[in-house]
């Protein structure tokens, strides 16, 4: 009878110890806060902002140049300095440049 009790106690102890040893532990981390505090992330974010401003400025300059060309062509047409064939050629050039700007904006 004593052996059965000893065996039972040993088996219970064994099952309890294996249950504790294999218990999974969960931890949580706020990755947003961690990344916000990292100096390299701050520097990368600043670099991205500078690059974004440069790309926006370049795009705005491209649009302004296109508008200036378009206005120049309109003035020449109004003055009668262009034949219909020249008008078509200039219109094609302006459309090609407009498509180039559109592609740039999508790429950006």
């Amino acid at each position: 009878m004593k052996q059965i009790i000893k065996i039972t106690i040993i088996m219970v102890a064994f099952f309890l110890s294996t249950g504790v040893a294999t218990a999974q532990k969960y931890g949580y981390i706020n990755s947003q806060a961690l990344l916000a505090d990292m100096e390299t992330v701050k520097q990368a974010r600043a670099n991205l902002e500078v690059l974004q401003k440069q790309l926006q400025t370049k795009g705005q300059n491209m649009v302004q140049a296109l508008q200036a060309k378009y206005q120049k062509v309109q003035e020449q047409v109004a003055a009668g300095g262009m034949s219909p064939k020249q008008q078509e050629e200039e219109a094609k050039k302006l459309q090609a440049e407009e498509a180039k700007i559109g592609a740039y904006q999508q790429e950006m």
Side-chain angles (χ1 to χ4, degrees):
M1 184 73 158
K2 286 185 179 184
Q3 285 185 336
I4 295 176
I5 293 175
K6 284 182 184 180
I7 293 174
T8 306
I9 291 174
I10 291 174
M11 290 183 80
V12 169
F14 176 74
F15 286 122
L16 289 176
S17 66
T18 57
V20 171
T22 60
Q24 293 183 353
K25 296 182 181 180
Y26 295 99
Y28 298 97
I29 186 166
N30 186 349
S31 60
Q32 292 288 338
L34 180 65
L35 289 176
D37 290 339
M38 291 180 68
E39 194 63 36
T40 54
V41 173
K42 290 178 183 178
Q43 182 64 36
R45 198 170 280 144
N47 290 345
L48 283 174
E49 288 175 5
V50 169
L51 179 63
Q52 182 181 14
K53 288 179 183 178
Q54 289 174 349
L55 293 174
Q56 285 178 344
T57 303
K58 183 179 177 182
Q60 289 172 350
N61 290 340
M62 291 171 74
V63 169
Q64 289 173 352
L66 177 65
Q67 289 173 344
K69 288 178 185 178
Y70 180 74
Q71 188 175 3
K72 184 178 178 183
V73 169
Q74 280 185 330
E75 290 172 359
Q76 288 179 349
V77 169
M82 288 188 139
S83 68
K85 186 173 183 173
Q86 288 175 330
Q87 290 177 12
E88 284 182 30
E89 290 174 7
E90 289 297 322
K92 286 180 183 178
K93 288 179 186 177
L94 291 173
Q95 287 175 350
E97 193 167 335
E98 186 177 354
K100 182 179 173 183
I101 291 171
Y104 174 79
Q105 287 177 344
Q106 286 184 354
E107 181 181 308
M108 191 173 70

